[in-house]
Amino acid sequence: DIQMTQSPSSLSASVGDRVTITCRASHNINIYLNWYQQKPGKAPKLLIYGASNLQSGVPSRFSGSGSGTDFTLTVSSLQPEDFATYYCQQSYNTLVTFGQGTKLEIK
Amino acid sequence: QVQIVQSGAEVKKPGASVKVSCKTSGDTFTSYVIHWVRQGPGQGLEWMGWINAGVGNTRYSQRFQGRFAITRDTSTSTAHMELSGLTSEDTAVYYCARSNILGTYYFDYWGQGTLVTVSS
């Protein structure tokens, strides 16, 4: 199985900050990498698919990059509604694994 | 618009089985793949498996092989998952989610989640 490792596991930041979350795959997954945001008690919400494609309706302050084994999710200017947990997810070979999550908290 | 509605919460005893349903509307059911993902209390997301709603083939995480099955009923646009041999470790919220059939499995629509509690 392909393992996904996110870092950091948690992050404190302020409104207006630029933050970056990293996801590393144990094997080359090309660009089969997606990012989700989850708030307590809610289903995850798709933010980025195919490593860098912004899902319809998602604010442009979210962006993704990377290919192969190393990927990043960047929020250019944090808004109050962005404080949540973020997950990466890979789907290489039609098997799926998630990263362990990054909890983004208000400083 | 696309909607995915799951069946209600369940309480089961250890050793029992649970079946959760996932009804989709607003799009062509057989054009998509339905996945099941679970989340234990305070835990991350764990993928369990998928079914191609058109062809009916499935693929499961090795972790659940032998006690997990996904089926679908195209007449009602509903997918079902059944997990057997329940233990307290299976207490979780179970989500179904939709992806395309192309293999680039990203989940653009999710059900609301179904809480399964395993307790004696």
Side-chain angles (χ1 to χ4, degrees):
Chain A
D1 285 9
I2 296 175
Q3 308 303 317
M4 306 301 294
T5 303
Q6 282 182 239
S7 60
S9 297
S10 62
L11 176 59
S12 293
S14 301
V15 173
D17 282 354
R18 178 185 179 92
V19 298
T20 297
I21 298 169
T22 296
C23 186
R24 174 163 288 175
S26 60
H27 298 81
N28 185 337
I29 59 169
N30 197 341
I31 58 167
Y32 289 78
L33 191 283
N34 313 304
W35 291 97
Y36 300 85
Q37 176 193 70
Q38 188 181 32
K39 296 183 178 179
K42 300 292 188 182
K45 173 187 173 183
L46 178 66
L47 300 175
I48 302 285
Y49 64 93
S52 62
N53 298 289
L54 191 68
Q55 172 68 353
S56 175
V58 174
S60 59
R61 63 181 179 272
F62 290 93
S63 64
S65 65
S67 66
T69 60
D70 294 308
F71 302 86
T72 59
L73 172 70
T74 298
V75 188
S76 60
S77 178
L78 278 171
Q79 299 303 300
E81 61 269 28
D82 300 336
F83 293 94
T85 301
Y86 293 83
Y87 294 93
C88 62
Q89 171 248 320
Q90 69 81 25
S91 63
Y92 194 74
N93 278 342
T94 73
L95 285 172
V96 173
T97 46
F98 287 92
Q100 80 278 17
T102 295
K103 187 171 185 179
L104 179 53
E105 298 174 304
I106 300 175
K107 186 184 285 184
Chain B
Q1 73 281 20
V2 175
Q3 280 197 302
I4 301 181
V5 178
Q6 299 181 220
S7 52
E10 302 266 9
V11 179
K12 295 292 182 182
K13 294 201 181 302
S17 298
V18 67
K19 192 168 185 177
V20 180
S21 66
C22 168
K23 183 172 175 61
T24 73
S25 61
D27 209 336
T28 305
F29 177 69
T30 52
S31 296
Y32 294 94
V33 175
I34 301 296
H35 299 251
W36 288 91
V37 175
R38 77 177 187 180
Q39 187 169 38
Q43 303 298 307
L45 302 169
E46 181 175 30
W47 176 78
M48 302 179 72
W50 57 252
I51 185 166
N52 181 312
V55 178
N57 60 313
T58 55
R59 193 164 193 189
Y60 303 134
S61 166
Q62 195 123 8
R63 193 162 131 69
F64 301 101
Q65 286 277 4
R67 70 182 188 105
F68 178 64
I70 308 174
T71 57
R72 98 284 193 220
D73 181 345
T74 57
S75 68
T76 59
S77 300
T78 302
H80 306 271
M81 77 91 173
E82 185 165 14
L83 186 64
S84 60
L86 293 170
T87 73
S88 59
E89 303 288 301
D90 296 314
T91 293
V93 175
Y94 289 76
Y95 293 102
C96 62
R98 182 190 88 164
S99 77
N100 61 59
I101 63 171
L102 302 174
T104 56
Y105 292 157
Y106 54 87
F107 308 138
D108 55 354
Y109 287 94
W110 294 68
Q112 81 277 19
T114 297
L115 175 62
V116 175
T117 303
V118 183
S119 173
S120 54

